[in-house]
């Protein structure tokens, strides 16, 4: 790999490790310092490698430079503080302080994950911070993922860091008693991160997939750690694998969305389906049925190519249970679609109209679909309502083609 | 928004219907509850099996029952959110239990812990 390719690659994988270790050592109040040192390390690498060539072990090189920069920072601080406290540490003491061993990196990253996913921080800021700190995304990439300006993202991250300082959030693992609750917050953020990629408004396909795979990587980290390897974590990973299996099938060459019913099932990735099934199996220990268990089971049925009544009856019953423990408009609409497939479209129309999700484009799209063939005038009316709420040209094209087919 | 409990009173289905029929009622009940949950109006609920039911009376006298042959036996309940008792009654009307002649669904408002009720 050439320097110009290698550095972004390493940045993605190593930046978050360096930051996590440094933040844990310095404390959250010096997060900016940790970020500066990490960024500075990569700048040094870019300069040095371009004329000296790439070192034989680039990662070790980066850690070494980061460690030296951190030591310098600590020393400078100590010299300043030593006017108050005469105790001066030896160079060796700093050497042990900045611990970039694999174990400490993993521990620091896990602790950082819990700190960022603290309930006191807004969900949007949690995702932004996760992308920046845990996944090593550049500000440009975070901005593109959110379709927001760099200024907006910088402000959002700044406010989130301020919040972390004000709330005095510690970089540490939660107590065992608190673990399940805090883990739930972490899972919510990971799932939001995944959804941000999966349903993103951004047209950048590579970036969107990166987001999804990063969410899965964070979930993998939780599973590899004994205290966080819990059934809901496995269920969430399973769910993400099932969704990811349709990556190639769900968009066309121009980035337009291909709906589930119209996808080429040969493009569904069976390796990812098998991985999803494996983690779903891992999730069946314990006696608590989380929403991720139900969503993963629903996603499992969606990986089945046959369009049978049995499939839709299973999906319907899973949605019936999911809605009882975790209502969401999207689940309500999907449940109604399953009802049409398992029972009848006429029954589903009655149920759909009770939902009254009149601000939601998918509510009208669903009604349009259900009325198609039963009452085309009503179908057209609903599709047109959907058009007024739609935000992307790709979605507009899909709905417009549905209306055109009605007029045939 | 208030909470209402919908109490189902009916015979023991196992005594009057085939396992296949019970299966159908189960599906209908799940679909009915799913429909309420899809409107974000479901709070909680459970079925109450007729097996192992006991009545504890005055003086601690324990008898078997209530007996499932009696149509007034409570077979389960759910709690829903509703703006009015009328809305809760509309939910109750969809309960599959009402397919059985003589069965009922009792709609009762849940007391709020506000010191008034």
């Amino acid at each position: 790999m050439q320097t110009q390719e290698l550095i972004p690659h390493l940045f993605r994988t190593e930046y978050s490790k360096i930051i996590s270790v440094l933040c844990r050592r310095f404390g959250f109040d010096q997060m900016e310092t940790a970020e500066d040192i990490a960024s500075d390390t990569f700048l040094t690498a870019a300069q040095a490698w371009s004329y000296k060539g790439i070192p034989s072990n680039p990662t070790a090189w980066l850690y070494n430079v980061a460690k030296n920069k951190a030591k310098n920072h600590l020393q400078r601080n100590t010299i300043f503080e030593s006017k108050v406290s005469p105790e001066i540490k030896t160079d060796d003491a700093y050497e042990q302080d900045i611990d970039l061993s694999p174990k400490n990196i993993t521990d620091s990253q896990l602790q950082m994950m819990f700190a960022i996913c603290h309930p006191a921080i807004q969900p949007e800021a949690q995702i932004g911070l996760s992308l920046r700190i845990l996944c090593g995304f550049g500000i440009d990439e975070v901005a593109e993922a959110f379709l927001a300006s760099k200024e907006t993202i910088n402000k959002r991250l700044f406010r989130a860091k301020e919040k972390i300082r004000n709330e005095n959030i510690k970089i540490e693992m939660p107590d065992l008693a608190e673990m399940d609750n805090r883990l739930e917050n972490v899972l919510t953020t990971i799932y939001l991160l995944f959804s941000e990629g999966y349903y993103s408004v951004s047209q950048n396909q590579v970036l969107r997939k990166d987001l999804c795979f990063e969410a899965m990587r964070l979930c993998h980290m939780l599973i590899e750690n004994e205290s966080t390897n819990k059934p809901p974590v496995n269920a969430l990973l399973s769910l993400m694998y099932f969704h990811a299996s349709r990556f190639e099938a769900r968009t066309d060459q121009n980035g337009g969305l291909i709906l589930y019913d119209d996808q080429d099932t040969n493009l569904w990735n069976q390796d990812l389906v098998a991985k999803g099934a494996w983690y779903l199996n891992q999730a069946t220990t314990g006696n608590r049925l989380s929403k991720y268990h139900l969503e993963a089971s629903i996603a499992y049925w969606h990986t089945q190519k046959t369009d049978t009544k049995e499939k839709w009856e299973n999906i319907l019953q899973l949605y019936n249970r999911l809605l009882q423990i975790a209502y969401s408009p999207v689940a309500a609409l999907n449940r109604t679609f399953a009802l049409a497939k398992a029972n009848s479209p006429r029954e589903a129309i009655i149920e759909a109209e009770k939902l009254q999700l009149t601000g939601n484009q998918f509510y009208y799209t669903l009604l349009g679909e259900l009325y198609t063939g039963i009452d085309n005038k009503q179908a057209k009316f609903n599709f047109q309502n959907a058009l007024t709420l739609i935000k992307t040209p790709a979605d507009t094209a899909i709905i417009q083609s549905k209306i055109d087919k009605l007029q045939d | 928004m208030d909470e209402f409990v919908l109490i189902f009173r009916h015979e023991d289905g196992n005594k009057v219907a085939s396992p296949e029929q019970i299966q159908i009622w189960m599906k209908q009940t799940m679909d009915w509850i799913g429909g309420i949950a899809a409107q974000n109006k479901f709070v909680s609920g459970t079925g109450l099996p007729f097996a192992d039911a006991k009545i504890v009376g005055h003086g601690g006298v324990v008898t078997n029952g209530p007996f499932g042959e009696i149509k007034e036996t409570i077979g389960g309940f759910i709690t829903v959110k509703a703006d009015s008792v009328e809305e809760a009654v509309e939910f109750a009307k969809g309960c599959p239990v009402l397919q059985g002649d003589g069965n009922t669904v009792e709609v009762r408002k849940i007391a709020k812990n506000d010191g008034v009720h």
Side-chain angles (χ1 to χ4, degrees):
Chain A
M1 241 190 265
Q2 296 296 307
T3 309
Q4 63 263 40
E5 292 169 31
L6 184 65
I7 287 187
H9 172 77
L10 283 174
F11 192 90
R12 184 60 70 71
T13 55
E14 304 307 324
Y15 177 84
S16 85
K17 294 180 186 172
I18 294 172
I19 288 241
S20 298
V21 168
L22 294 185
C23 265
R24 189 184 175 203
R25 169 62 186 79
F26 298 163
F28 251 137
D29 53 326
Q30 291 194 55
M31 197 168 189
E32 271 88 6
T33 310
E35 283 186 279
D36 286 346
I37 291 174
S39 305
D40 213 27
T41 300
F42 281 93
L43 196 66
T44 309
Q47 285 162 350
W49 299 357
S50 59
Y51 65 91
K52 281 191 205 153
I54 297 167
S56 57
N57 187 341
T59 308
W61 193 99
L62 287 171
Y63 290 174
N64 227 349
V65 170
K67 198 184 270 188
N68 283 329
K69 286 183 191 292
K71 274 191 323 200
N72 288 340
H73 167 76
L74 286 173
Q75 260 166 345
R76 271 200 304 276
N77 260 19
T78 314
I79 289 164
F80 176 74
E81 284 166 9
S82 66
K83 289 175 182 167
V84 187
S85 148
E87 202 179 309
I88 291 175
K89 281 187 168 184
T90 62
D91 200 50
D92 270 359
Y94 298 117
E95 189 69 37
Q96 286 160 358
D97 260 4
I98 313 295
D99 176 5
L100 282 154
S101 65
K103 173 153 190 339
N104 194 47
I105 286 176
T106 308
D107 288 353
S108 301
Q109 283 187 301
L110 279 171
Q111 293 172 5
M112 186 60 111
M113 215 188 286
F114 277 93
I116 287 177
C117 302
H118 194 278
I121 305 171
Q122 295 291 315
E124 242 183 8
Q126 287 184 3
I127 300 175
L129 276 181
S130 299
L131 286 174
R132 182 75 186 130
I133 306 288
L134 297 174
C135 311
F137 275 46
I139 296 291
D140 292 20
E141 292 171 304
V142 181
E144 192 177 347
F146 282 112
L147 278 193
S149 70
K150 286 206 294 193
E151 288 72 38
T152 307
I153 296 299
N154 272 325
K155 269 186 210 152
R156 194 182 291 167
L157 294 182
F158 180 79
R159 277 198 300 269
K161 287 178 205 165
E162 230 174 23
K163 184 91 185 162
I164 286 172
R165 275 191 287 265
N166 294 343
E167 298 277 334
N168 202 14
I169 295 169
K170 297 267 186 310
I171 307 179
E172 60 189 14
M173 291 303 264
D175 297 338
L176 272 180
E178 255 192 288
M179 180 56 93
D180 282 346
N181 269 339
R182 293 290 307 279
L183 194 55
E184 202 156 311
N185 284 307
V186 174
L187 295 185
T188 304
T189 306
I190 291 178
Y191 194 22
L192 280 172
L193 192 58
F194 184 88
S195 304
E196 194 62 41
Y198 206 70
Y199 303 105
S200 170
V201 274
S202 165
Q203 293 296 309
N204 185 335
Q205 292 302 315
V206 179
L207 177 69
R208 291 178 55 169
K209 267 187 214 169
D210 270 1
L211 249 71
C212 293
F213 285 124
E214 280 297 326
M216 291 161 83
R217 184 181 66 82
L218 295 179
C219 207
H220 264 294
M221 277 182 63
L222 293 172
I223 285 172
E224 280 154 23
N225 180 280
E226 205 188 317
S227 68
T228 50
N229 184 12
K230 304 261 179 145
V233 183
N234 284 274
L236 174 59
L237 187 58
S238 156
L239 166 63
M240 294 192 289
Y241 268 118
F242 286 141
H243 279 321
S245 72
R246 289 194 298 279
F247 262 149
E248 303 305 326
R250 63 195 290 276
T251 42
D252 63 24
Q253 286 151 327
N254 305 320
L257 196 66
I258 302 174
L259 296 179
Y260 178 77
D261 271 344
D262 305 325
Q263 287 171 9
D264 177 358
T265 55
N266 291 320
L267 293 176
W268 293 358
N269 185 322
Q270 293 306 317
D271 285 345
L272 296 183
V273 172
K275 283 214 173 80
W278 198 81
Y279 284 106
L280 186 55
N281 201 28
Q282 295 296 107
T284 52
T285 58
N287 49 18
R288 200 174 71 89
L289 196 67
S290 70
K291 64 175 179 172
Y292 300 115
H293 285 90
L294 292 166
E295 287 194 58
S297 305
I298 291 166
Y300 162 77
W301 278 103
H302 278 96
T303 65
Q304 302 300 299
K305 296 177 181 181
T306 47
D307 195 37
T308 58
K309 259 224 153 39
E310 186 211 0
K311 168 177 165 175
W312 290 106
E313 178 59 30
N314 276 296
I315 292 175
L316 171 63
Q317 293 312 329
L318 288 162
Y319 270 123
N320 282 342
R321 291 167 76 183
L322 176 64
L323 284 159
Q324 289 172 47
I325 61 166
Y327 167 85
S328 70
V330 125
L333 292 168
N334 286 337
R335 182 251 173 200
T336 312
F337 182 75
L339 188 73
K341 290 276 202 178
N343 294 4
S344 77
R346 281 176 201 280
E347 186 182 336
I349 287 172
I350 296 167
E351 289 295 307
E353 287 180 337
K354 287 182 192 165
L355 302 181
Q356 285 302 313
L357 295 166
T358 49
N360 189 321
Q361 68 178 79
F362 300 108
Y363 171 66
Y364 292 111
T365 310
L366 174 70
L367 277 171
E369 292 281 356
L370 295 177
Y371 271 118
T372 299
I374 292 177
D375 181 344
N376 280 357
K377 240 175 101 177
Q378 273 295 324
K380 190 177 170 191
F381 172 75
N382 280 293
F383 282 137
Q384 277 166 342
N385 272 332
L387 278 181
T388 64
L389 295 166
I390 279 171
K391 292 182 188 80
T392 68
D395 285 349
T396 305
I398 290 170
I399 300 300
Q400 192 56 54
S401 81
K402 286 182 189 295
I403 293 175
D404 294 344
K405 271 185 206 145
L406 287 175
Q407 285 159 340
D408 276 349
Chain B
M1 192 163 299
D2 285 312
E3 289 189 3
F4 294 84
V5 59
L6 314 184
I7 303 159
F8 323 146
R9 296 180 188 275
H10 56 87
E11 275 183 280
D12 182 354
N14 289 307
K15 300 234 166 87
V16 295
S18 65
E20 291 76 22
Q21 181 58 51
I22 301 237
Q23 197 84 43
I24 292 169
W25 285 340
M26 277 299 284
K27 172 180 160 51
Q28 289 174 340
T29 304
M30 290 302 115
D31 287 354
W32 172 62
I33 291 173
I36 295 169
Q39 297 170 63
N40 202 12
K41 295 286 177 71
F42 176 83
V43 179
S44 63
T46 184
L48 300 170
F50 288 98
D52 268 345
K54 301 282 182 200
I55 301 277
V56 181
H58 179 68
V61 180
V62 179
T63 53
N64 287 334
F67 297 104
E69 300 84 54
I70 305 166
K71 293 200 173 185
E72 286 81 40
T73 308
I74 296 175
F77 59 86
I78 67 166
T79 306
V80 299
K81 288 181 273 190
D83 288 323
S84 62
V85 67
E86 285 74 23
E87 189 186 359
V89 164
E90 281 310 308
F91 286 141
K93 281 180 183 170
C95 181
V97 158
L98 297 176
Q99 291 167 24
D101 187 26
N103 294 346
T104 59
V105 177
E106 185 173 326
V107 180
R108 300 291 294 271
K109 185 147 106 180
I110 289 188
K112 292 175 182 167
N113 281 324
D114 56 7
V116 177
H117 297 87

